[in-house]
Amino acid sequence: MPTKKLLVILNPVSGQGNYDEIKSEVETALADAGVSFELRETEGEGDAFRWAAEAGDFDLILVGGGDGTVMEAMSGCIENQHNVPLAQLPMGTANLLARALAIPTRIKKALTLALEGGVSTQMDVGYLPGMERYFAIVAGSGWDAQLIADADRDLKNRLGFFAYVIAGVKNLFRLQNSRILLKLDGREIRTKAHTVEVINVGEIYGTGIAIGNNLSPHDGRLDLAVIASSRWRGIFKLLWRLITKRFGDDSSLRYFSASRIEVEADPPLKLQIDGEAVGETPYQVIVIPNGANLVVPREYVEAKKLDFKELQ
């Protein structure tokens, strides 16, 4: 049987862990597994994209970094359409995609999944044509985009995930509704809201944490949550609804679903995709069904009743 050939992409500045220790752990595990691997370390934006796009001769792409690094590598795979499975080593601050897909956040367990216990399955992705950007989790405009813009790298280095908490609480005092125009597969909806979320992944698997009913990254569509509560009483009521999973529509939280979405806002709302600030409204999003090929635990695909392939 031929030796498995891996491309390993690591981001040295992701998260708060000791990078040299993580790198050594990865190299040791791969050497012990008897696989052939090529390890590359990113130095700037675009490295992970380019290397993943050119990885058609590899059997597996192993990406160590945060959600941004993983999405950049995933985008390279999508652009070049080589369909090499991508496995994650969660090294970032939040690691939302890994958590959503039940991928262990401990490096040793994530390595074991990539090398022995995982299977590959397809997942939908969102695409913003005007920016030529893909996302796996969410394109959010409003409150979440503002807090991400405020939680800069220095603050995240010092406080980790709590940088997002602090920025989020601070921005709760500043919520103001904008006039929103939505175009959902050509249908126009006008409303007022302070936050519009285009959602691909709406559940952290196995935790009970969700932001809506049946928001699946495997159904060939995107979901939309429009949030309008801007007063403290309304915000706490909304949070309680999410905690207790009362997702029915009302004036403060409305859900939609579409394959092509356009969002306009007056005044404009800041925009983030998968935790990265990228600009502001207006923007257009389309879904790419089964656009990504990812390594996940077998329990995940069995619970979701998904097609999958064994890793060779």
Side-chain angles (χ1 to χ4, degrees):
M1 179 177 178
T3 302
K4 184 184 293 185
K5 185 179 179 183
L6 274 64
L7 172 62
V8 182
I9 300 173
L10 300 181
N11 184 346
V13 299
S14 286
Q16 295 179 291
N18 185 310
Y19 173 70
D20 290 335
E21 290 182 2
I22 292 173
K23 179 183 176 182
S24 177
E25 184 175 1
V26 171
E27 291 177 320
T28 299
L30 295 179
D32 289 347
V35 299
S36 172
F37 67 94
E38 183 175 325
L39 191 150
R40 304 177 188 176
E41 299 168 285
T42 62
E43 296 181 354
E45 185 176 353
D47 286 346
F49 177 95
R50 184 176 66 257
W51 296 334
E54 298 169 349
D57 292 335
F58 289 88
D59 299 305
L60 180 71
I61 303 169
L62 186 59
V63 182
D67 289 315
T69 305
V70 172
M71 193 63 238
E72 187 178 317
M74 194 186 305
S75 300
C77 296
I78 297 167
E79 282 285 299
N80 215 27
Q81 299 182 348
H82 53 55
N83 211 36
V84 177
L86 185 147
Q88 300 179 62
L89 294 181
M91 291 166 50
T93 304
N95 303 308
L96 291 178
L97 182 59
R99 297 177 191 276
L101 300 177
I103 294 167
T105 55
R106 292 180 180 272
I107 296 298
K108 184 176 182 179
K109 290 185 176 180
L111 279 167
T112 299
L113 176 71
L115 296 173
E116 299 175 16
V119 297
S120 68
T121 193
Q122 305 291 320
M123 187 184 85
D124 303 336
V125 294
Y127 178 61
L128 288 81
M131 301 179 183
E132 298 183 341
R133 299 289 295 268
Y134 299 89
F135 67 90
I137 306 169
V138 64
S141 44
W143 175 73
D144 59 330
Q146 186 64 59
L147 78 86
I148 284 169
D150 290 347
D152 60 22
R153 170 52 59 186
D154 179 63
L155 190 63
K156 289 191 287 185
N157 285 342
R158 289 188 286 113
L159 301 177
F161 182 77
F162 285 103
Y164 293 121
V165 176
I166 292 171
V169 171
K170 180 178 69 174
N171 279 289
L172 283 177
F173 291 97
R174 303 175 181 174
L175 292 175
Q176 296 291 331
N177 285 337
S178 291
R179 292 182 294 276
I180 305 295
L181 171 61
L182 304 174
K183 297 180 182 178
L184 309 178
D185 293 334
R187 179 170 64 109
E188 291 193 0
I189 296 173
R190 296 181 184 272
T191 187
K192 290 185 177 181
H194 60 72
T195 301
V196 178
E197 303 287 302
V198 180
I199 304 163
N200 187 43
V201 175
E203 175 189 10
I204 304 299
Y205 177 79
T207 66
I209 299 173
I211 55 176
N213 278 326
N214 302 316
L215 307 186
S216 171
H218 308 287
D219 61 3
R221 294 177 68 80
L222 296 168
D223 294 282
L224 193 72
V226 181
I227 306 171
S229 292
S230 57
R231 298 181 183 276
W232 273 100
R233 185 175 179 180
I235 291 168
F236 282 118
K237 180 182 177 182
L238 176 61
L239 290 174
W240 181 247
R241 284 182 59 198
L242 294 176
I243 291 170
T244 57
K245 298 186 178 180
R246 298 174 184 175
F247 299 127
D249 281 0
D250 68 13
S251 59
S252 64
L253 176 61
R254 301 174 67 190
Y255 289 97
F256 304 92
S257 179
S259 57
R260 180 180 296 269
I261 297 168
E262 296 181 46
V263 180
E264 299 179 17
D266 182 21
L269 298 173
K270 287 190 178 297
L271 172 66
Q272 64 86 13
I273 55 173
D274 287 353
E276 180 183 357
V278 295
E280 62 181 24
T281 56
Y283 60 93
Q284 181 188 89
V285 184
I286 60 175
V287 67
I288 300 178
N290 296 326
N293 186 23
L294 303 179
V295 176
V296 300
R298 185 180 297 274
E299 310 89 77
Y300 178 86
V301 296
E302 291 176 346
K304 299 288 185 179
K305 299 180 180 179
L306 303 174
D307 293 334
F308 65 92
K309 291 182 179 179
E310 302 283 353
L311 297 179
Q312 300 300 315

